[in-house]
Amino acid sequence: MRVLTLIKQREKTDIFGMPIIGFLFKNKYMLTFYRLFTLFLLIYAIIYGFINPTKENIFTNAVFWSIFWPFFMVISLPTLGNVFCMVCPHGFLGKHITKIGLKKRPPRVLMNPYIGLIGSNILAYWFIIYTFPGFLKQPLFTAGFFLFFTLLSMFFFFLFRDMAYCKYICPIGSVNTAFSRTSFTWLSTYQEECKNCKKPDCALACPYKLNPSKFEEKKSMFNCTLCMECAHACEAVRFDVKRWGYSLYERIKNPRVIEVMVYVLLVAVITFTMRFHHGLSRSSLSEYMPWVIVGKFLQSSFNLPRFVDMTGLVAMLMALFLVLSIVYLSFKAIAKIVGQNFWSVFTMLGYAFAPLMIVGGLSHVLEFFFIEYYHNIVNGFSQAFGLGIKVEPLARRGEAWLYIFRIFPFVAGFWSLHILWKRVQMLTSEKRTLTFALASLLPVVYLMLSLFTLIAILFFPAHHHHHH
Ligand code: SF4
Ligand code: SF4
């Protein structure tokens, strides 16, 4: 432990040195308080879901789909960073369970973050959302879904050491660490102090076996969950306000394919699919959309029941095919032009796609705050705690002023192009314009799709809205 007067000399940008905010992010008791609170909400919402399994129950869905999903998964990541993991009830319990657990080394097959990304996130969540859209709206199913992941995490934390569940299995872990790069916060250490450090207390304290004194040099925070154990172990740990998306403008040492894969796959599965399925399918142009045509055809030829939505599934598969083809073909061409291998082009330029899904996603979430989340949260808590309050939605779907939030996909697209331009400079010193033009294909298609969806909804509205 470096005993210094750093507390007084912290740099202006260091959140730990700021009055009040520093306390809110670093104080042990505050952190424990948030974690106990989220743990309580998790348990109460699950139990409440089993006791009140019908649609009457608004509380369970409010906790998961109006607070956890929009606030933590979409709003906090591109701003504060990975603060969800900071307060995550699973990680909180896990840190205690793993201490009394078996501390086994996870088998090789499990040490694979694609399990979390493809298995738990895309298949266990998005596939279900699109194919069986009614399921996760049922309080009982929602409660069961979160109970399953709670038990699964406890089992893994008990069995394996170094928080293996967070690193490899959690549907949120890998996604959060990748997307938190778009935020304006950055954890690292005062390098002058670390130079003479004999015993790296920060690294020894980290339950994830990370070394925060290397984060700055590597331009990567790896699987950091902002649990702040390192900051309690050594005063040299700092948590800075940086420019938005700071590390995306830097040369990332040992870049990881998985991180860029998160951006690419989720842009397909979330952004593109949503635009296809919820945006364009809701305009009167929907009958011309290929996923609607193919989806309806499959639906009727296999005589599928109504709770299966082939249109959603086909939209997702088409989005995946489109996005993966664009990325593959453009990066393959670039690799040839600059004479480098595909994966080094992929990781050098692919970081520029970080804003696409997460920043673009703000439009949906902010719009839905007014249409849906606000009254669900207030009425849901009122229901669960007997407060006797009842509020109406702040806005109705289709109100004109809500269109201001449609700005975010455009912000995301242009921001991505800006980062891309900087990263092209790092990749090559010749043929930069051509490289940039090729690599821009994904953000440009994204921008065109956003524009097209906006036009379709504005000028070709559906005759009636059905809710997702
Ligand atoms: S990785 Fe998953 S389980 Fe671990 S702290 Fe983050 S959200 Fe929680
Ligand atoms: S580096 Fe620090 S904040 Fe990040 S996970 Fe490790 S101990 Fe927690």
Side-chain angles (χ1 to χ4, degrees):
M1 154 95 73
R2 312 283 305 153
V3 188
L4 345 120
T5 44
L6 255 177
I7 314 177
K8 290 215 176 72
Q9 301 164 0
R10 287 182 179 278
E11 269 173 40
K12 279 215 179 63
T13 55
D14 184 349
I15 292 174
F16 290 156
M18 297 178 187
I20 306 171
I21 310 174
F23 175 81
L24 294 179
F25 275 100
K26 191 176 170 186
N27 183 276
K28 267 188 196 162
Y29 301 101
M30 278 320 282
L31 294 172
T32 307
F33 170 74
Y34 309 141
R35 289 162 186 162
L36 287 173
F37 184 70
T38 54
L39 180 62
F40 163 74
L41 274 188
L42 174 80
I43 295 173
Y44 190 28
I46 290 177
I47 293 175
Y48 202 87
F50 283 109
I51 298 177
N52 308 289
T54 62
K55 283 248 161 49
E56 299 289 291
N57 169 357
I58 26 180
F59 176 66
T60 301
N61 284 2
V63 168
F64 295 116
W65 307 131
S66 298
I67 299 178
F68 156 73
W69 162 251
F71 182 74
F72 284 107
M73 295 307 294
V74 185
I75 296 182
S76 69
L77 282 173
T79 50
L80 297 172
N82 192 6
V83 292
F84 178 67
C85 287
M86 174 192 246
V87 301
C88 168
H90 293 164
F92 175 53
L93 289 179
K95 235 176 279 168
H96 297 285
I97 291 178
T98 204
K99 273 186 206 141
I100 55 161
L102 305 178
K103 301 186 183 64
K104 284 188 192 297
R105 194 189 149 84
R108 280 210 149 256
V109 282
L110 278 184
M111 291 169 75
N112 183 346
Y114 287 97
I115 298 175
L117 174 61
I118 295 177
S120 321
N121 195 306
I122 295 180
L123 289 177
Y125 183 76
W126 290 104
F127 168 75
I128 292 183
I129 283 275
Y130 294 125
T131 319
F132 311 102
F135 275 28
L136 289 174
K137 289 278 161 191
Q138 309 266 337
L140 185 64
F141 192 88
T142 301
F145 185 82
F146 282 88
L147 180 64
F148 170 77
F149 278 104
T150 305
L151 296 178
L152 187 75
S153 69
M154 297 306 113
F155 175 70
F156 276 99
F157 285 128
F158 181 75
L159 227 50
F160 302 121
R161 63 188 188 203
D162 304 339
M163 308 296 278
Y165 175 79
C166 290
K167 289 186 189 169
Y168 310 116
I169 314 289
C170 178
I172 299 165
S174 63
V175 172
N176 271 12
T177 40
F179 279 118
S180 62
R181 282 188 185 276
T182 54
S183 75
F184 56 72
T185 62
W186 190 256
L187 188 110
S188 61
T189 60
Y190 285 91
Q191 297 292 310
E192 325 83 79
E193 305 302 326
C194 299
K195 256 192 306 217
N196 312 313
C197 177
K198 297 267 148 43
K199 185 166 163 286
D201 282 304
C202 63
L204 291 171
C206 179
Y208 297 82
K209 285 256 159 32
L210 305 176
N211 185 351
S213 69
K214 296 270 185 276
F215 287 179
E216 182 54 36
E217 178 198 328
K218 307 244 174 185
K219 303 289 186 242
S220 176
M221 286 166 59
F222 301 92
N223 295 83
C224 177
T225 59
L226 299 181
C227 71
M228 305 304 180
E229 299 287 334
C230 54
H232 299 140
C234 177
E235 282 300 328
V237 174
R238 59 194 285 179
F239 186 45
D240 284 273
V241 171
K242 295 252 190 192
R243 75 183 287 193
W244 241 302
Y246 157 73
S247 68
L248 298 171
Y249 290 93
E250 305 285 330
R251 197 176 277 279
I252 292 157
K253 283 205 183 156
N254 328 56
R256 293 188 303 168
V257 172
I258 176 84
E259 282 197 319
V260 177
M261 232 22 135
V262 167
Y263 306 140
V264 171
L265 289 178
L266 293 192
V267 163
V269 168
I270 305 182
T271 323
F272 275 60
T273 311
M274 285 280 190
R275 295 274 193 291
F276 284 0
H277 186 48
H278 292 312
L280 294 171
S281 292
R282 284 216 185 105
S283 82
S284 56
L285 300 177
S286 81
E287 55 187 306
Y288 307 108
M289 298 298 146
W291 51 92
V292 177
I293 297 170
V294 177
K296 284 206 172 132
F297 172 76
L298 292 174
Q299 191 95 23
S300 61
S301 27
F302 291 102
N303 225 338
L304 294 170
R306 281 183 64 96
F307 67 85
V308 186
D309 181 3
M310 276 319 234
T311 317
L313 178 61
V314 174
M316 181 175 111
L317 295 176
M318 286 188 175
L320 269 170
F321 180 74
L322 176 70
V323 170
L324 291 177
S325 319
I326 292 174
V327 171
Y328 178 75
L329 294 174
S330 58
F331 284 176
K332 191 87 193 161
I334 294 169
K336 210 159 183 190
I337 291 167
V338 301
Q340 294 186 23
N341 94 10
F342 178 82
W343 293 110
S344 56
V345 173
F346 183 83
T347 46
M348 178 54 96
L349 301 182
Y351 278 97
F353 300 151
L356 291 183
M357 179 255 142
I358 202 75
V359 177
L362 288 173
S363 66
H364 177 85
V365 158
L366 293 174
E367 196 176 324
F368 270 69
F369 176 78
F370 294 92
I371 302 175
E372 197 176 299
Y373 302 147
Y374 166 78
H375 73 267
N376 277 353
I377 295 171
V378 175
N379 297 342
F381 275 74
S382 171
Q383 181 182 52
F385 298 96
L387 305 177
I389 307 169
K390 173 131 185 59
V391 294
E392 293 298 314
L394 292 173
R396 305 246 161 235
R397 186 187 274 277
E399 273 181 39
W401 69 275
L402 290 171
Y403 285 107
I404 56 170
F405 298 123
R406 302 280 167 138
I407 188 85
F408 285 104
F410 300 96
V411 172
F414 286 107
W415 190 15
S416 174
L417 288 175
H418 183 237
I419 300 170
L420 199 53
W421 178 242
K422 300 280 157 164
R423 302 198 73 81
V424 165
Q425 324 279 309
M426 294 178 208
L427 180 78
T428 174
S429 51
E430 358 162 10
K431 303 225 174 91
R432 281 175 173 166
T433 321
L434 181 60
T435 304
F436 176 70
L438 280 167
S440 308
L441 209 55
L442 186 67
V444 168
V445 171
Y446 172 94
L447 282 166
M448 289 187 336
L449 182 65
S450 303
L451 189 64
F452 183 61
T453 314
L454 192 57
I455 292 172
I457 292 172
L458 282 175
F459 299 106
F460 303 94
H463 307 299
H464 69 103
H465 287 300
H466 53 107
H467 201 69
H468 74 270

